[in-house]
Amino acid sequence: MAPIILPSQAQNVKTRPGTPRDVEASKDVKLFQPSTIRSITIPNRIVVAPMCMYSCQDGFLNDFHLAHYFSFAFKGAGLVIIEATAVEPQGRISPEDSGLWSDEHIAPLKRVADMIKAQGSVPGIQIAHAGRKASMGSPFAGYRIIPEEENGWSKDVRGPSELPFDEKHCQPHALTKEGIQDLVQMFTDATVRADKAGIEVLEIHSAHGYLLHNFLSGNSNKRTDEYGGTLENRMRFPLEVAKAVRAAWPEHKPLWLRFSSTDFKEPEQFANDPEGWDIYQATEYAKKLKEIGVDVIDCSAGANISGVRYPTAPHFQVPFAETVRREADIPTGAVGLITDPIEAEQVLQEGKADYILLAREFLRDNGWALRAARDLNVTVKWPNQYERADNERWVGKNGK
Ligand SMILES: Cc1cc2nc3c(=O)[nH]c(=O)nc-3n(C[C@H](O)[C@H](O)[C@H](O)COP(=O)(O)O)c2cc1C
Protein backbone atom coordinates (compact mmCIF):
# COMPACT_ATOMS: atom_id res chain seq x y z
CA MET A 1 0.00 0.00 0.00
CA ALA A 2 1.57 3.29 -1.13
CA PRO A 3 2.11 5.85 1.62
CA ILE A 4 0.08 9.02 1.36
CA ILE A 5 1.04 12.56 2.20
CA LEU A 6 -1.65 13.97 4.43
CA PRO A 7 -2.83 17.50 3.68
CA SER A 8 -3.44 18.16 7.35
CA GLN A 9 -5.45 20.93 8.90
CA ALA A 10 -4.29 22.39 12.19
CA GLN A 11 -4.95 19.84 14.90
CA ASN A 12 -6.02 22.32 17.54
CA VAL A 13 -9.65 21.45 18.14
CA LYS A 14 -10.68 25.10 17.67
CA THR A 15 -9.20 25.29 14.19
CA ARG A 16 -10.68 22.16 12.72
CA PRO A 17 -12.85 22.80 9.65
CA GLY A 18 -16.49 23.08 10.67
CA THR A 19 -15.77 24.53 14.11
CA PRO A 20 -16.95 28.02 15.09
CA ARG A 21 -14.42 30.81 14.88
CA ASP A 22 -16.14 32.54 17.76
CA VAL A 23 -17.11 29.88 20.28
CA GLU A 24 -18.90 32.33 22.58
CA ALA A 25 -21.03 33.86 19.81
CA SER A 26 -22.17 30.46 18.58
CA LYS A 27 -22.75 28.74 21.89
CA ASP A 28 -26.52 28.63 21.38
CA VAL A 29 -26.30 26.80 18.07
CA LYS A 30 -26.36 23.15 19.01
CA LEU A 31 -25.34 21.78 15.61
CA PHE A 32 -21.92 23.35 16.12
CA GLN A 33 -21.34 22.35 19.71
CA PRO A 34 -18.59 19.77 20.25
CA SER A 35 -19.37 16.64 22.22
CA THR A 36 -17.02 14.47 24.19
CA ILE A 37 -17.91 10.87 24.92
CA ARG A 38 -15.33 8.85 26.82
CA SER A 39 -12.20 10.61 25.54
CA ILE A 40 -13.15 11.28 21.94
CA THR A 41 -14.33 14.78 21.01
CA ILE A 42 -16.50 15.17 17.94
CA PRO A 43 -16.12 18.81 16.85
CA ASN A 44 -19.80 19.31 15.94
CA ARG A 45 -23.03 17.27 15.80
CA ILE A 46 -22.92 16.63 12.05
CA VAL A 47 -22.42 12.99 11.11
CA VAL A 48 -21.98 11.32 7.74
CA ALA A 49 -24.20 8.24 7.96
CA PRO A 50 -22.71 4.91 6.88
CA MET A 51 -23.24 4.34 3.17
CA CYS A 52 -22.17 1.26 1.21
CA MET A 53 -20.28 2.28 -1.88
CA TYR A 54 -20.05 -1.24 -3.37
CA SER A 55 -16.60 -0.42 -4.70
CA CYS A 56 -14.20 -2.80 -2.98
CA GLN A 57 -12.41 -5.83 -4.23
CA ASP A 58 -12.15 -8.61 -1.64
CA GLY A 59 -13.28 -6.15 1.02
CA PHE A 60 -10.35 -3.74 0.60
CA LEU A 61 -10.88 0.02 0.70
CA ASN A 62 -9.04 1.79 -2.11
CA ASP A 63 -8.33 5.24 -3.54
CA PHE A 64 -11.99 5.81 -4.33
CA HIS A 65 -12.78 5.50 -0.63
CA LEU A 66 -9.90 7.75 0.33
CA ALA A 67 -11.22 10.54 -1.91
CA HIS A 68 -14.85 9.91 -0.97
CA TYR A 69 -14.45 9.94 2.82
CA PHE A 70 -11.86 12.72 2.69
CA SER A 71 -14.36 15.01 0.97
CA PHE A 72 -16.74 15.04 3.96
CA ALA A 73 -14.04 15.38 6.59
CA PHE A 74 -12.30 18.14 4.67
CA LYS A 75 -15.50 20.16 4.56
CA GLY A 76 -16.25 20.01 8.25
CA ALA A 77 -18.38 16.95 9.04
CA GLY A 78 -17.72 16.13 12.69
CA LEU A 79 -17.89 12.34 12.43
CA VAL A 80 -17.58 10.26 9.28
CA ILE A 81 -18.91 6.72 9.66
CA ILE A 82 -17.37 4.45 7.06
CA GLU A 83 -19.82 2.12 5.33
CA ALA A 84 -21.13 -1.24 6.54
CA THR A 85 -18.01 -3.40 6.77
CA ALA A 86 -18.44 -7.12 6.90
CA VAL A 87 -17.00 -9.26 9.70
CA GLU A 88 -16.82 -12.30 7.41
CA PRO A 89 -16.91 -12.67 3.61
CA GLN A 90 -20.41 -14.17 3.75
CA GLY A 91 -21.51 -11.15 5.77
CA ARG A 92 -21.25 -8.81 2.79
CA ILE A 93 -24.37 -7.66 1.00
CA SER A 94 -22.57 -7.66 -2.35
CA PRO A 95 -19.20 -9.03 -3.43
CA GLU A 96 -17.99 -5.39 -3.63
CA ASP A 97 -18.70 -4.57 0.03
CA SER A 98 -16.03 -3.48 2.44
CA GLY A 99 -14.62 -6.05 4.90
CA LEU A 100 -12.58 -6.38 8.05
CA TRP A 101 -12.31 -10.14 8.34
CA SER A 102 -8.54 -10.30 8.01
CA ASP A 103 -5.53 -8.38 9.30
CA GLU A 104 -4.76 -7.44 5.70
CA HIS A 105 -7.76 -5.13 5.73
CA ILE A 106 -6.24 -2.98 8.49
CA ALA A 107 -3.69 -1.00 6.42
CA PRO A 108 -6.09 0.28 3.72
CA LEU A 109 -8.61 1.20 6.41
CA LYS A 110 -5.93 2.99 8.40
CA ARG A 111 -5.10 5.08 5.36
CA VAL A 112 -8.71 6.33 5.21
CA ALA A 113 -8.97 6.77 8.98
CA ASP A 114 -5.71 8.75 9.09
CA MET A 115 -6.92 10.99 6.28
CA ILE A 116 -10.21 11.73 8.05
CA LYS A 117 -8.39 12.43 11.31
CA ALA A 118 -5.87 14.72 9.63
CA GLN A 119 -8.76 16.98 8.60
CA GLY A 120 -9.82 17.32 12.23
CA SER A 121 -12.81 15.03 11.85
CA VAL A 122 -13.43 11.77 13.71
CA PRO A 123 -13.17 8.47 11.80
CA GLY A 124 -15.91 5.94 12.55
CA ILE A 125 -16.86 2.63 10.99
CA GLN A 126 -19.91 0.42 10.97
CA ILE A 127 -19.24 -3.29 11.43
CA ALA A 128 -21.87 -5.51 9.94
CA HIS A 129 -23.20 -8.84 8.80
CA ALA A 130 -25.76 -8.91 6.01
CA GLY A 131 -27.54 -12.04 7.29
CA ARG A 132 -30.32 -13.21 4.99
CA LYS A 133 -29.77 -10.28 2.59
CA ALA A 134 -26.27 -11.39 1.58
CA SER A 135 -24.91 -12.35 -1.85
CA MET A 136 -26.83 -9.71 -3.76
CA GLY A 137 -25.71 -7.38 -6.54
CA SER A 138 -25.02 -3.74 -5.82
CA PRO A 139 -27.79 -1.33 -6.85
CA PHE A 140 -25.79 -0.25 -9.86
CA ALA A 141 -24.87 -3.82 -10.88
CA GLY A 142 -28.53 -4.81 -10.64
CA TYR A 143 -29.97 -5.86 -7.29
CA ARG A 144 -30.35 -9.61 -7.79
CA ILE A 145 -29.04 -12.84 -6.29
CA ILE A 146 -25.36 -13.26 -7.18
CA PRO A 147 -24.62 -16.96 -7.74
CA GLU A 148 -21.38 -18.80 -6.91
CA GLU A 149 -20.08 -18.61 -10.50
CA GLU A 150 -20.20 -14.80 -10.29
CA ASN A 151 -18.23 -14.59 -7.05
CA GLY A 152 -21.33 -14.86 -4.86
CA TRP A 153 -22.10 -17.27 -1.98
CA SER A 154 -25.82 -17.69 -2.55
CA LYS A 155 -25.81 -21.23 -1.10
CA ASP A 156 -24.03 -20.13 2.06
CA VAL A 157 -26.28 -17.32 3.27
CA ARG A 158 -27.04 -17.32 7.01
CA GLY A 159 -29.93 -16.16 9.13
CA PRO A 160 -31.73 -17.06 12.34
CA SER A 161 -34.17 -19.28 10.45
CA GLU A 162 -34.71 -20.75 7.03
CA LEU A 163 -36.96 -17.89 6.08
CA PRO A 164 -35.85 -15.77 3.12
CA PHE A 165 -36.49 -12.01 2.97
CA ASP A 166 -38.58 -12.68 -0.15
CA GLU A 167 -38.40 -14.77 -3.31
CA LYS A 168 -35.85 -12.37 -4.83
CA HIS A 169 -33.33 -13.03 -2.04
CA CYS A 170 -31.30 -16.12 -1.16
CA GLN A 171 -32.59 -19.03 0.87
CA PRO A 172 -30.79 -18.70 4.23
CA HIS A 173 -29.48 -21.51 6.41
CA ALA A 174 -30.41 -21.29 10.07
CA LEU A 175 -27.26 -20.63 12.10
CA THR A 176 -26.29 -23.29 14.60
CA LYS A 177 -25.39 -22.26 18.15
CA GLU A 178 -21.73 -22.86 17.27
CA GLY A 179 -22.19 -20.65 14.21
CA ILE A 180 -23.64 -17.92 16.42
CA GLN A 181 -20.65 -18.10 18.78
CA ASP A 182 -18.25 -18.01 15.81
CA LEU A 183 -19.91 -14.82 14.68
CA VAL A 184 -19.61 -13.21 18.12
CA GLN A 185 -15.88 -13.90 17.78
CA MET A 186 -15.80 -12.45 14.26
CA PHE A 187 -17.43 -9.22 15.45
CA THR A 188 -14.84 -9.12 18.25
CA ASP A 189 -11.93 -9.67 15.87
CA ALA A 190 -13.19 -6.96 13.52
CA THR A 191 -13.42 -4.61 16.51
CA VAL A 192 -9.78 -5.19 17.41
CA ARG A 193 -8.79 -4.54 13.78
CA ALA A 194 -10.83 -1.31 13.65
CA ASP A 195 -8.95 -0.11 16.72
CA LYS A 196 -5.60 -1.00 15.15
CA ALA A 197 -6.63 0.99 12.07
CA GLY A 198 -7.12 4.10 14.20
CA ILE A 199 -10.91 4.18 14.08
CA GLU A 200 -12.25 6.25 16.98
CA VAL A 201 -15.99 5.54 16.91
CA LEU A 202 -17.27 2.03 16.26
CA GLU A 203 -20.86 1.43 15.24
CA ILE A 204 -22.51 -2.00 15.35
CA HIS A 205 -25.05 -2.49 12.56
CA SER A 206 -28.20 -4.07 13.95
CA ALA A 207 -30.62 -2.41 11.52
CA HIS A 208 -32.11 -2.69 8.03
CA GLY A 209 -32.91 -6.38 7.91
CA TYR A 210 -29.34 -7.59 8.26
CA LEU A 211 -28.22 -10.37 10.57
CA LEU A 212 -28.61 -8.82 14.03
CA HIS A 213 -31.95 -7.28 13.09
CA ASN A 214 -33.01 -10.68 11.69
CA PHE A 215 -32.50 -12.11 15.17
CA LEU A 216 -34.22 -9.22 16.99
CA SER A 217 -37.46 -9.43 15.05
CA GLY A 218 -39.99 -12.20 15.37
CA ASN A 219 -40.89 -11.40 11.76
CA SER A 220 -37.59 -12.97 10.66
CA ASN A 221 -36.60 -15.06 13.69
CA LYS A 222 -38.64 -18.26 14.00
CA ARG A 223 -36.19 -20.16 16.22
CA THR A 224 -37.40 -22.30 19.07
CA ASP A 225 -34.12 -22.40 21.04
CA GLU A 226 -32.85 -19.74 23.46
CA TYR A 227 -32.15 -17.39 20.53
CA GLY A 228 -35.78 -17.13 19.43
CA GLY A 229 -39.29 -16.64 20.76
CA THR A 230 -39.43 -14.12 23.60
CA LEU A 231 -37.93 -10.66 23.30
CA GLU A 232 -35.25 -11.69 25.78
CA ASN A 233 -34.30 -14.62 23.56
CA ARG A 234 -34.40 -12.63 20.33
CA MET A 235 -32.11 -9.98 21.85
CA ARG A 236 -29.65 -12.60 23.14
CA PHE A 237 -27.30 -12.79 20.14
CA PRO A 238 -27.21 -9.03 19.40
CA LEU A 239 -26.53 -8.36 23.09
CA GLU A 240 -23.80 -11.01 23.13
CA VAL A 241 -22.22 -9.22 20.19
CA ALA A 242 -22.54 -5.81 21.87
CA LYS A 243 -21.02 -7.14 25.09
CA ALA A 244 -18.09 -8.81 23.33
CA VAL A 245 -17.46 -5.77 21.16
CA ARG A 246 -17.56 -3.41 24.14
CA ALA A 247 -15.04 -5.62 25.95
CA ALA A 248 -12.70 -5.62 22.93
CA TRP A 249 -13.12 -1.94 22.07
CA PRO A 250 -10.85 0.37 24.10
CA GLU A 251 -12.50 1.84 27.17
CA HIS A 252 -11.71 5.39 26.02
CA LYS A 253 -13.46 5.05 22.65
CA PRO A 254 -17.22 5.47 22.12
CA LEU A 255 -19.41 2.65 20.88
CA TRP A 256 -22.48 3.42 18.79
CA LEU A 257 -25.14 1.02 17.62
CA ARG A 258 -27.65 1.48 14.83
CA PHE A 259 -30.99 -0.28 15.03
CA SER A 260 -34.20 -0.25 13.11
CA SER A 261 -36.73 1.14 15.52
CA THR A 262 -39.58 -0.82 13.96
CA ASP A 263 -40.26 -3.20 11.08
CA PHE A 264 -43.14 -0.98 9.89
CA LYS A 265 -45.38 -4.03 9.65
CA GLU A 266 -48.12 -1.42 9.88
CA PRO A 267 -47.42 2.01 8.39
CA GLU A 268 -48.12 3.81 11.69
CA GLN A 269 -44.85 4.81 13.28
CA PHE A 270 -45.79 3.54 16.72
CA ALA A 271 -47.83 0.50 15.73
CA ASN A 272 -47.68 -2.48 18.10
CA ASP A 273 -45.93 -5.57 16.74
CA PRO A 274 -45.00 -7.50 19.91
CA GLU A 275 -44.33 -10.78 18.11
CA GLY A 276 -42.30 -8.95 15.45
CA TRP A 277 -40.35 -5.74 16.07
CA ASP A 278 -41.56 -2.31 17.15
CA ILE A 279 -40.39 0.83 18.95
CA TYR A 280 -41.43 -0.54 22.35
CA GLN A 281 -39.12 -3.54 22.00
CA ALA A 282 -36.43 -1.35 20.44
CA THR A 283 -36.56 0.84 23.56
CA GLU A 284 -36.07 -2.20 25.82
CA TYR A 285 -33.13 -3.21 23.63
CA ALA A 286 -31.67 0.30 24.03
CA LYS A 287 -31.89 0.03 27.83
CA LYS A 288 -29.91 -3.24 27.76
CA LEU A 289 -27.37 -1.76 25.36
CA LYS A 290 -26.84 1.17 27.70
CA GLU A 291 -26.13 -1.23 30.58
CA ILE A 292 -23.51 -2.94 28.41
CA GLY A 293 -21.77 0.36 27.70
CA VAL A 294 -23.11 1.36 24.29
CA ASP A 295 -22.86 5.16 24.24
CA VAL A 296 -25.12 6.29 21.41
CA ILE A 297 -28.07 4.73 19.57
CA ASP A 298 -28.41 5.67 15.92
CA CYS A 299 -32.16 5.31 15.33
CA SER A 300 -33.07 4.15 11.86
CA ALA A 301 -36.06 2.02 10.86
CA GLY A 302 -37.42 -0.69 8.60
CA ALA A 303 -36.02 -2.94 5.86
CA ASN A 304 -36.56 -6.29 7.60
CA ILE A 305 -39.76 -7.39 5.87
CA SER A 306 -40.72 -6.93 2.27
CA GLY A 307 -43.89 -5.47 0.86
CA VAL A 308 -44.63 -3.04 3.69
CA ARG A 309 -45.40 0.66 3.36
CA TYR A 310 -43.25 3.29 5.06
CA PRO A 311 -44.66 6.57 6.35
CA THR A 312 -41.91 8.32 4.43
CA ALA A 313 -41.73 12.07 4.96
CA PRO A 314 -39.03 14.52 6.06
CA HIS A 315 -37.85 13.66 9.58
CA PHE A 316 -40.17 10.64 9.79
CA GLN A 317 -37.68 8.70 11.91
CA VAL A 318 -36.93 11.53 14.33
CA PRO A 319 -39.73 10.47 16.73
CA PHE A 320 -37.84 7.20 17.26
CA ALA A 321 -34.65 9.00 18.26
CA GLU A 322 -36.71 11.17 20.59
CA THR A 323 -38.50 8.20 22.20
CA VAL A 324 -35.35 6.14 22.71
CA ARG A 325 -33.49 9.16 24.11
CA ARG A 326 -36.26 9.88 26.61
CA GLU A 327 -37.28 6.34 27.58
CA ALA A 328 -33.86 4.67 27.65
CA ASP A 329 -32.03 7.81 28.79
CA ILE A 330 -29.27 7.43 26.23
CA PRO A 331 -27.88 9.84 23.61
CA THR A 332 -29.34 9.26 20.15
CA GLY A 333 -28.68 10.09 16.54
CA ALA A 334 -31.54 11.07 14.25
CA VAL A 335 -31.39 9.99 10.61
CA GLY A 336 -33.64 9.87 7.59
CA LEU A 337 -34.72 12.63 5.23
CA ILE A 338 -33.06 15.37 7.23
CA THR A 339 -31.73 17.88 4.72
CA ASP A 340 -32.39 21.41 5.95
CA PRO A 341 -29.86 22.83 8.44
CA ILE A 342 -32.39 25.00 10.25
CA GLU A 343 -34.72 22.03 10.72
CA ALA A 344 -31.79 19.89 11.83
CA GLU A 345 -30.90 22.49 14.44
CA GLN A 346 -34.51 22.44 15.62
CA VAL A 347 -34.32 18.66 16.23
CA LEU A 348 -31.39 19.26 18.57
CA GLN A 349 -32.91 22.35 20.20
CA GLU A 350 -36.08 20.41 21.00
CA GLY A 351 -34.07 17.68 22.67
CA LYS A 352 -35.11 14.99 20.21
CA ALA A 353 -31.58 13.79 19.45
CA ASP A 354 -27.92 14.52 20.16
CA TYR A 355 -26.50 14.01 16.66
CA ILE A 356 -27.79 14.58 13.15
CA LEU A 357 -26.87 11.94 10.58
CA LEU A 358 -27.26 12.57 6.87
CA ALA A 359 -26.69 10.14 4.05
CA ARG A 360 -28.02 11.15 0.63
CA GLU A 361 -27.79 14.89 1.33
CA PHE A 362 -24.06 14.45 1.90
CA LEU A 363 -23.80 12.75 -1.49
CA ARG A 364 -25.53 15.77 -3.02
CA ASP A 365 -23.42 18.27 -1.10
CA ASN A 366 -20.30 17.09 0.70
CA GLY A 367 -19.97 20.62 2.10
CA TRP A 368 -23.27 20.40 3.99
CA ALA A 369 -21.56 21.30 7.27
CA LEU A 370 -20.27 24.58 5.80
CA ARG A 371 -23.69 25.26 4.27
CA ALA A 372 -25.33 24.60 7.64
CA ALA A 373 -23.01 27.09 9.30
CA ARG A 374 -23.93 29.77 6.78
CA ASP A 375 -27.68 29.08 7.17
CA LEU A 376 -27.38 29.21 10.95
CA ASN A 377 -25.23 32.34 10.96
CA VAL A 378 -22.24 30.64 12.51
CA THR A 379 -18.85 31.65 11.18
CA VAL A 380 -16.86 28.44 11.04
CA LYS A 381 -13.34 27.59 10.12
CA TRP A 382 -12.98 26.56 6.48
CA PRO A 383 -10.30 24.11 5.43
CA ASN A 384 -7.02 25.98 5.02
CA GLN A 385 -6.70 25.21 1.34
CA TYR A 386 -10.20 26.50 0.49
CA GLU A 387 -10.33 29.52 2.76
CA ARG A 388 -10.40 32.04 -0.06
CA ALA A 389 -13.80 30.70 -1.04
CA ASP A 390 -15.23 31.53 2.37
CA ASN A 391 -17.32 34.45 1.13
CA GLU A 392 -17.96 36.04 4.46
CA ARG A 393 -14.26 36.57 4.97
CA TRP A 394 -13.12 37.32 1.44
CA VAL A 395 -15.78 39.18 -0.51
CA GLY A 396 -14.69 42.76 -0.93
CA LYS A 397 -11.16 42.16 0.34
CA ASN A 398 -8.82 43.27 -2.42
CA GLY A 399 -11.54 42.21 -4.88
CA LYS A 400 -9.81 38.88 -5.52
C1 LIG B 1 -25.93 4.72 -1.05
C2 LIG B 1 -26.43 4.36 0.30
C3 LIG B 1 -25.78 3.36 1.03
C4 LIG B 1 -26.19 3.05 2.34
N1 LIG B 1 -25.47 2.15 3.06
C5 LIG B 1 -25.75 1.98 4.38
C6 LIG B 1 -24.86 1.27 5.22
O1 LIG B 1 -23.79 0.84 4.83
N2 LIG B 1 -25.24 1.09 6.52
C7 LIG B 1 -26.40 1.64 7.02
O2 LIG B 1 -26.69 1.45 8.20
N3 LIG B 1 -27.21 2.36 6.25
C8 LIG B 1 -26.90 2.58 4.96
N4 LIG B 1 -27.68 3.41 4.21
C9 LIG B 1 -28.78 4.14 4.85
C10 LIG B 1 -28.32 5.53 5.29
O3 LIG B 1 -27.29 5.45 6.25
C11 LIG B 1 -29.49 6.34 5.87
O4 LIG B 1 -29.95 5.71 7.04
C12 LIG B 1 -30.65 6.48 4.90
O5 LIG B 1 -30.19 6.78 3.59
C13 LIG B 1 -31.60 7.60 5.34
O6 LIG B 1 -30.90 8.83 5.47
P1 LIG B 1 -30.96 9.98 4.34
O7 LIG B 1 -32.41 10.33 4.15
O8 LIG B 1 -30.16 11.11 4.94
O9 LIG B 1 -30.36 9.44 3.08
C14 LIG B 1 -27.30 3.72 2.89
C15 LIG B 1 -27.98 4.68 2.14
C16 LIG B 1 -27.54 5.03 0.88
C17 LIG B 1 -28.25 6.13 0.13
Side-chain angles (χ1 to χ4, degrees), residues 49-53 83-84 126 205 208 258 300 335-338 357-361 363:
M51 280 181 278
C52 286
M53 290 287 110
E83 65 202 84
Q126 185 185 55
H205 198 348
H208 302 169
R258 172 172 273 200
S300 190
V335 65
L337 289 174
I338 303 173
L357 290 91
L358 298 94
R360 288 163 291 180
E361 195 64 3
L363 299 185

Side-chain angles (χ1 to χ4, degrees), residues 74-151:
F74 184 61
K75 290 194 174 177
L79 167 63
V80 179
I81 306 182
I82 295 168
E83 65 202 84
T85 295
V87 300
E88 68 163 342
Q90 296 91 329
R92 291 171 294 173
I93 306 165
S94 83
E96 292 79 29
D97 281 19
S98 149
L100 204 41
W101 60 80
S102 86
D103 287 348
E104 287 168 47
H105 291 104
I106 296 172
L109 173 61
K110 185 168 188 311
R111 225 168 145 241
V112 176
D114 286 351
M115 180 63 101
I116 293 171
K117 219 179 305 183
Q119 309 318 311
S121 181
V122 173
I125 197 168
Q126 185 185 55
I127 52 170
H129 192 294
R132 64 179 187 162
K133 283 183 171 177
S135 198
M136 302 297 292
S138 71
F140 45 88
Y143 192 66
R144 62 182 173 90
I145 293 174
I146 302 295
E148 273 58 9
E149 54 276 20
E150 292 178 42
N151 211 15

Side-chain angles (χ1 to χ4, degrees), residues 279 283-284 286-287 321-330:
I279 181 64
T283 303
E284 293 310 306
K287 289 178 188 166
E322 180 185 10
T323 303
V324 170
R325 187 175 191 264
R326 185 185 62 240
E327 299 298 323
D329 190 25
I330 186 166

Side-chain angles (χ1 to χ4, degrees), residues 169-189:
H169 287 75
C170 299
Q171 171 63 52
H173 297 285
L175 275 161
T176 61
K177 285 189 205 167
E178 294 71 38
I180 289 173
Q181 290 316 309
D182 288 349
L183 277 159
V184 172
Q185 189 59 49
M186 289 180 213
F187 271 96
T188 311
D189 294 345

Side-chain angles (χ1 to χ4, degrees), residues 298-310:
D298 169 4
C299 298
S300 190
N304 192 43
I305 45 180
S306 76
V308 292
R309 275 192 305 125
Y310 291 65

